[in-house]
Amino acid sequence: GAGVSQSPSNKVTEKGKDVELRCDPISGHTALYWYRQRLGQGLEFLIYFQGNSAPDKSGLPSDRFSAERTGESVSTLTIQRTQQEDSAVYLCASSLFAEQYFGPGTRLTVT
Amino acid sequence: AQSVTQLDSQVPVFEEAPVELRCNYSSSVSVYLFWYVQYPNQGLQLLLKYLSGSTLVKGINGFEAEFNKSQTSFHLRKPSVHISDTAEYFCAVTLITNAGKSTFGDGTTLTVKP
């Protein structure tokens, strides 16, 4: 079956512009996660959805970051007024229970 | 809050040698434990998991890990590595009481040399 998909795979944007990253989870997976992975580093938790509610937004680094999810389907992560330090790979994962299935990521480069 | 420490950031080994990647965790409550692998330029995929039962768990590609509650460890092992095992390996824990949030270690880069 289809896995987690993310789009775009690569995004280059100018500092100060807004970007929107998309995640399509595995059908039927109730939980959805966003992580950030800077070059050579581990995963930084951003936000977690259970259904379309977000019980844990503790990882969002600033109010420039927001995310939403429609039902138990697509999620979008929006970064406003991008900064160079936002450059990273943004990973999405979905889960039915505990173990997570990851998408290939979106590589964001802010110039 | 839980935390995960991967004790080695880089592990170089020769092909067909055994390898152990170490993971220690800290949590005041019971946890589920996972190892994920990230091949170059790819997303993460589950290697193996411990939810309950036998403390020795086997995963894909010949990897296994042992949950040691007293040592709060979950070390990953493989008796004989291949070049294709070169990748980044992440240990993760999830609270049993809140399966929604996982904490990941910083990763261990395994480099298998011919």
Side-chain angles (χ1 to χ4, degrees):
Chain A
V4 177
S5 62
Q6 292 185 246
S7 60
S9 56
N10 279 284
K11 176 72 176 179
V12 180
T13 190
E14 292 180 353
K15 178 182 171 181
K17 295 285 179 69
D18 297 352
V19 295
E20 192 172 275
L21 312 181
R22 177 186 169 109
C23 172
D24 280 276
I26 293 172
S27 177
H29 280 194
T30 54
L32 186 146
Y33 310 79
W34 284 98
Y35 297 91
R36 180 168 68 180
Q37 186 177 28
R38 290 199 168 106
L39 187 63
Q41 298 187 19
L43 272 67
E44 178 185 357
F45 170 80
L46 297 179
I47 189 169
Y48 149 62
F49 287 92
Q50 183 64 39
N52 63 2
S53 67
D56 192 341
K57 303 179 183 180
S58 63
L60 293 177
S62 74
D63 59 7
R64 296 186 297 105
F65 287 73
S66 63
E68 61 180 29
R69 187 181 186 194
T70 307
E72 291 186 353
S73 115
V74 172
S75 174
T76 54
L77 176 69
T78 301
I79 309 173
Q80 296 178 307
R81 305 180 304 281
T82 52
Q83 304 294 314
Q84 287 186 328
E85 62 263 27
D86 299 333
S87 294
V89 175
Y90 289 81
L91 292 166
C92 173
S94 70
S95 172
L96 188 56
F97 175 73
E99 66 187 77
Q100 298 180 30
Y101 295 82
F102 284 82
T106 292
R107 183 176 300 277
L108 176 65
T109 304
V110 182
T111 60
Chain B
Q2 69 269 34
S3 66
V4 178
T5 302
Q6 291 185 239
L7 297 159
D8 308 291
S9 59
Q10 303 208 26
V11 174
V13 295
F14 287 104
E15 193 173 19
E16 298 183 3
V19 71
E20 178 180 80
L21 307 184
R22 297 181 292 165
C23 173
N24 285 95
Y25 69 94
S26 172
S27 174
S28 57
V29 298
S30 296
V31 296
Y32 299 128
L33 294 150
F34 306 86
W35 276 98
Y36 291 86
V37 59
Q38 185 176 33
Y39 297 105
N41 299 313
Q42 295 186 30
L44 279 75
Q45 65 182 89
L46 182 69
L47 201 55
L48 48 77
K49 62 188 177 186
Y50 172 78
L51 302 182
S52 65
S54 173
T55 57
L56 181 65
V57 292
K58 295 187 185 296
I60 61 172
N61 301 337
F63 283 92
E64 63 180 33
E66 185 155 21
F67 170 51
N68 187 319
K69 188 173 183 180
S70 62
Q71 301 283 332
T72 60
S73 68
F74 191 54
H75 301 334
L76 181 70
R77 301 185 184 99
K78 186 170 182 178
S80 176
V81 294
H82 302 290
I83 299 286
S84 59
D85 292 323
T86 294
E88 188 85 9
Y89 292 80
F90 293 95
C91 180
V93 299
T94 302
L95 297 182
I96 287 177
T97 53
N98 180 10
K101 184 176 177 181
S102 293
T103 300
F104 284 76
D106 287 337
T108 297
T109 302
L110 174 65
T111 303
V112 182
K113 299 181 282 188

